[in-house]
Amino acid sequence: MAEKRNIFLVGPMGAGKSTIGRQLARQLHLEFFDSDSEIERRTGADIAWVFELEGEDGFRTREEKVIEELTENTGIVLATGGGSILSKESRNRLSARGIVVYLQTPIEKQLARTQRDKRRPLIAEADDPRAVLEGLAAQRNPLYEEIADVVVRTDEQSAKFVVDKIIEQVGL
Ligand SMILES: Nc1ncnc2c1ncn2[C@@H]1O[C@H](COP(=O)(O)OP(=O)(O)O)[C@@H](O)[C@H]1O
Ligand SMILES: O=C(O)C1=C[C@@H](OP(=O)(O)O)[C@@H](O)[C@H](O)C1
Ligand SMILES: [Mg+2]
């Protein structure tokens, strides 16, 4: 697998894609991108604002475009947004252009890690965030699994442990 020189992190909100991706890139001396940060950089608006102005559909169109462009790189770590895999085109691009690492995390941990964060509109405004995360998991987990080359759990383990585990699993 080491000949595919990009690493793409997929998984649900709160799995640690952004945090672990940054550390992984630093450790491997690869460039780091985060699809959400890239959308924020390009629009000059935060994710919640993009959802508010353009709706989820508008956000997904931007996300697909950013993933199309970023996956053209070689030698990067990309932390995707949790819903990026809803797009068949993005799933195809991610599988074709790098090693896809699925960060698997139980809903309990996702809730704990995203509780105080207002930057995820799908759960920040929900009356019952647990029910939302369960619904998303039912729809999305098969899609993460479909494209995963490697699956790494991120529940009890520290970010550092997960980074080392990914490096070991992808053979870099
Ligand atoms: N392995 C981990 N152990 C404990 N906390 C973590 C771990 N990975 C991430 N976190 C914390 O969880 C929160 C969400 O992480 P983030 O990287 O934004 O997830 P994602 O990008 O998958 O939504 C952050 O506060 C981060 O510090
Ligand atoms: O799961 C989702 O649909 C989303 C996940 C978020 O990214 P993280 O997975 O990095 O939290 C962000 O892209 C947006 O709020 C939508
Ligand atoms: Mg993130």
Side-chain angles (χ1 to χ4, degrees):
M1 262 188 276
E3 72 280 2
K4 286 179 160 187
R5 287 215 304 264
N6 293 317
I7 300 181
F8 302 138
L9 302 183
V10 303
M13 290 179 259
K17 303 176 296 296
S18 301
T19 310
I20 285 161
R22 183 175 295 282
Q23 294 184 23
L24 179 67
R26 196 179 308 131
Q27 199 148 321
L28 292 175
H29 305 289
L30 297 175
E31 201 172 348
F32 174 66
F33 293 95
D34 185 305
S35 60
D36 286 331
S37 310
E38 191 60 25
I39 291 169
E40 291 181 331
R41 194 182 66 76
R42 291 181 185 194
T43 56
D46 64 20
I47 297 300
W49 198 11
V50 176
F51 267 72
E52 206 176 303
L53 291 178
E54 301 182 345
E56 182 171 349
D57 285 353
F59 172 77
R60 297 293 170 211
T61 303
R62 291 188 181 279
E63 187 174 52
E64 191 177 88
K65 179 90 183 131
V66 158
I67 287 184
E68 179 180 3
E69 290 178 23
L70 291 179
T71 54
E72 296 282 2
N73 284 291
T74 305
I76 69 161
V77 173
L78 169 63
T80 63
S84 57
I85 46 70
L86 292 170
S87 153
K88 174 103 182 96
E89 281 73 25
S90 295
R91 292 203 298 282
N92 289 341
R93 288 176 183 128
L94 291 166
S95 346
R97 297 174 179 175
I99 303 168
V100 178
V101 178
Y102 170 21
L103 297 185
Q104 205 176 41
T105 311
I107 297 221
E108 214 52 52
K109 279 283 167 197
Q110 284 183 256
L111 276 172
R113 290 181 189 162
T114 55
Q115 220 172 25
R116 281 181 303 274
D117 200 333
K118 298 270 172 282
R119 300 185 342 134
R120 296 181 179 84
L122 293 177
I123 47 175
E125 286 143 30
D127 294 333
D128 187 350
R130 179 189 300 272
V132 172
L133 289 176
E134 281 167 354
L136 294 177
Q139 177 194 26
R140 297 173 177 183
N141 289 358
L143 302 176
Y144 298 132
E145 275 155 25
E146 175 191 304
I147 60 166
D149 293 305
V150 167
V151 182
V152 178
R153 296 170 55 119
T154 79
D155 37 9
E156 299 309 329
Q157 305 84 345
S158 69
K160 164 94 181 80
F161 182 93
V162 176
V163 167
D164 290 343
K165 189 88 189 159
I166 294 171
I167 292 173
E168 180 193 310
Q169 296 272 312
V170 303
L172 285 171

